[in-house]
Amino acid sequence: MKKEEPLGFWRSFVRFITFVDLPIKRKFTVFGIGTLFWFIMIGTVAVGSLVFIHFRYSQISQITFPYTQLVQSISPEIEGLSRAVSESYRMTPGENIPVVTQHLQRIRTIVSNSLIERKEAAASGNFFEALNYSLAQKDTEGLHQLQSLLEQVKEIEGTLVLLRDTLAVHREGEYSLEQAASIKERVRMQIGKLSEDVMRFDQRAKALYHQYSGQINDTVRLSINTIVIVLGMALFLLWVFTRWLTDAFARPIELIINQIHSISTGEVDLSKKVSIKSQDEIGTLSRKFNGLIDTVYGMTVFKKVIEEDTTLESVYERIGSIFEREAGITNYRIFDVNTSKHEMHIAYPLMIGDDRQIMCYPDILSECSLCRAQKTGHTISSFEYEGVCKYFSAGEGWHHICVPMVISGNTGGVVQFLFSDDDDLDMDEINQKMFKAEMYLKHSLSVIETKRLMNTLRESALIDGLTGLYNRRFLQDHSKQIIAGVLRRQKQVGLLMCDMDYFKQVNDQYGHDVGDVLLKETSLILRNSVRESDVVIRFGGEEFMVLLIDVDPGYALEIAEKIRLKVEEARFRVSDGTLKKTLSVGVSEFPKDTDGFWQAIKYADVALYKAKESGRNRCVRFTADLWDGSDNF
């Protein structure tokens, strides 16, 4: 698997701030918190703006409007006051004072009520009104102006009292009218000053109104801009994270689904591996799935490779190498089972140490039903039950897991996996190794079955059905391999051409059944008289050929004589007793006699003919004087 490249600083930073490597649960939690944050931000801006606007409107309604209303209420009274004072010059002295006094009283009442309303608003318990009053109380200039208006009213009232008293004294003759006129002028000037102060107060109220209105407009504009910006940022981040989440979740899952579909149809495309973009559960899933794809692809390629192998032994060798390379199991035995003979043998490795240790009692080789896995067709594990198989002979410190290779309903082989306490493996590691090994083994079963069937067909075509010996076709198919091996090793092949003497008389006198029995027993004598590496062939009818592989010169004639004597000493049972038969043998050697293998066979046949001609029941070694140059074979 390709090693992942280390991330740079900026990529690591971006992955950190975008929560790429967080677990999915925490990722969605952070996503929810972020969404909630932006909702709170937008809500805070909106609510804050509305509160500020409400506050400013309250100030307008509670401060500027009352100021304006106060001016509007006072202005007519001041005008009336001014007229009353002006007319008092044309009237009888003191006649218009009550009118002036009434105007002043109404002005004082209006100003006093305005101050009282502020105090009531503060005590009303309404938060905004109390807040407005609190801020209005900080408006010292406005309060001073109101207090000044009230004091001016009181001052004018005081001057009017003086005027009234002066006029009363005048009637008694103590003061002159000039003094009253002077006091009236002072009243007129005081009223003028009051009028000017009211106008200034009105201008300030209008200025406050424009100020508060401007602040409201600015606040509305700022709020709209802020909400648009925050909403835009929130929508952008939402789009980014949604797209990222889609890319992080949907695309890997879509690729996994497509790959699963490909696997289900028998196609595996390594170019469509899931890209690993995060270290969360999706990244882990992608990594595991890519590992599965590698395994499936490896199994697919492995199966194609073993399908192209020519022999079952090559398949077993590749299975063994895959156990070591992919599953990491180095200690194993692959047993091949011959169900027809109830035997089993180690197919791979061919040699395990000098004494061919099989970790089991040798009895299972000659009687395969003693093997528990072969007999039951189930996996046998000493991890599950210690001592489950009584034929396991490895002793303490060793454990085994025997997996049967069930082919066409029969156990065609057994794979024995061995584990030592010295390996220091826990069960999870063992289970992982066994899972991979069994997956490859299961994918190999169909190929093993095919190879076994091919071997069976090949053997049935190359083996004589009556005697169980190889037939003449075997010699035709394998002569090149035999010749190449002998020449490479610089050895000799002894060729014995054997023929039963007077065999036709047995068929004529006792029947073909007895003749068949005689051929079977003779073939058994031949097979038991030579080595395992030698080849015995039923060449045709009652004629046999023996190939003595890698022999010294002269050794072939000794073996021929040994075979002749054994046949001569043998007693063959027939219906009326026993029967004695003899054998004639012709001997040649390759490549000593000739460098042509089939020519050497011809020489052995010529020597056999000479043995027959010389009286039968004898062995004749080919010599050059026996050859007449004929090429007929």
Side-chain angles (χ1 to χ4, degrees), residues 61-110:
S61 62
Q62 299 295 328
I63 299 177
T64 60
F65 283 172
Y67 284 175
T68 304
Q69 290 175 353
L70 183 142
V71 172
Q72 290 174 353
S73 300
I74 291 177
S75 295
E77 299 296 335
I78 292 176
E79 290 178 1
L81 182 64
S82 297
R83 285 196 303 269
V85 171
S86 298
E87 291 175 356
S88 65
Y89 285 97
R90 299 188 295 271
M91 298 177 68
T92 303
E95 183 179 351
N96 207 25
I97 290 178
V99 176
V100 175
T101 302
Q102 291 176 359
H103 285 297
L104 288 174
Q105 288 178 349
R106 283 194 290 268
I107 292 173
R108 183 176 58 185
T109 301
I110 293 171

Side-chain angles (χ1 to χ4, degrees), residues 111-216:
V111 175
S112 299
N113 289 340
S114 177
L115 292 174
I116 293 172
E117 286 176 0
R118 293 178 180 277
K119 294 180 180 180
E120 289 178 350
S124 65
N126 186 299
F127 171 76
F128 291 105
E129 292 182 356
L131 181 62
N132 291 337
Y133 173 76
S134 175
L135 293 175
Q137 290 295 98
K138 294 181 180 179
D139 184 18
T140 56
E141 184 179 352
L143 291 175
H144 287 164
Q145 286 181 343
L146 290 176
Q147 293 291 344
S148 176
L149 292 176
L150 190 59
E151 290 174 358
Q152 288 182 49
V153 170
K154 291 180 179 179
E155 184 178 351
I156 294 172
E157 287 179 343
T159 304
L160 287 176
V161 171
L162 179 61
L163 178 61
R164 186 176 62 245
D165 293 340
T166 301
L167 291 174
V169 173
H170 172 72
R171 285 193 294 267
E172 295 176 359
E174 294 184 5
Y175 292 96
S176 64
L177 291 175
E178 288 77 10
Q179 291 179 329
S182 175
I183 294 173
K184 284 182 180 182
E185 183 64 24
R186 191 195 311 172
V187 171
R188 188 184 65 79
M189 293 177 61
Q190 289 177 341
I191 292 173
K193 186 177 183 302
L194 176 62
S195 177
E196 291 176 358
D197 289 344
V198 170
M199 292 300 295
R200 283 196 298 271
F201 187 79
D202 182 46
Q203 290 175 355
R204 185 174 183 279
K206 290 178 180 179
L208 286 176
Y209 175 80
H210 289 299
Q211 177 186 349
Y212 292 157
S213 297
Q215 289 179 350
I216 289 173

Side-chain angles (χ1 to χ4, degrees), residues 494-512:
L495 295 97
L496 311 181
M497 189 68 76
C498 309
D499 188 84
M500 298 288 295
D501 295 330
Y502 304 110
F503 180 75
K504 187 175 182 302
Q505 295 178 0
V506 176
N507 285 334
D508 294 340
Q509 182 176 353
Y510 296 101
H512 289 281

Side-chain angles (χ1 to χ4, degrees), residues 8 69 124 141 173 190 211 214 219 236 248 296 326 344 376 379 529:
Q69 290 175 353
S124 65
E141 184 179 352
Q190 289 177 341
Q211 177 186 349
T219 301
F236 174 74
V296 172
E326 297 296 334
M344 61 192 305
T376 62
T379 299
S529 300

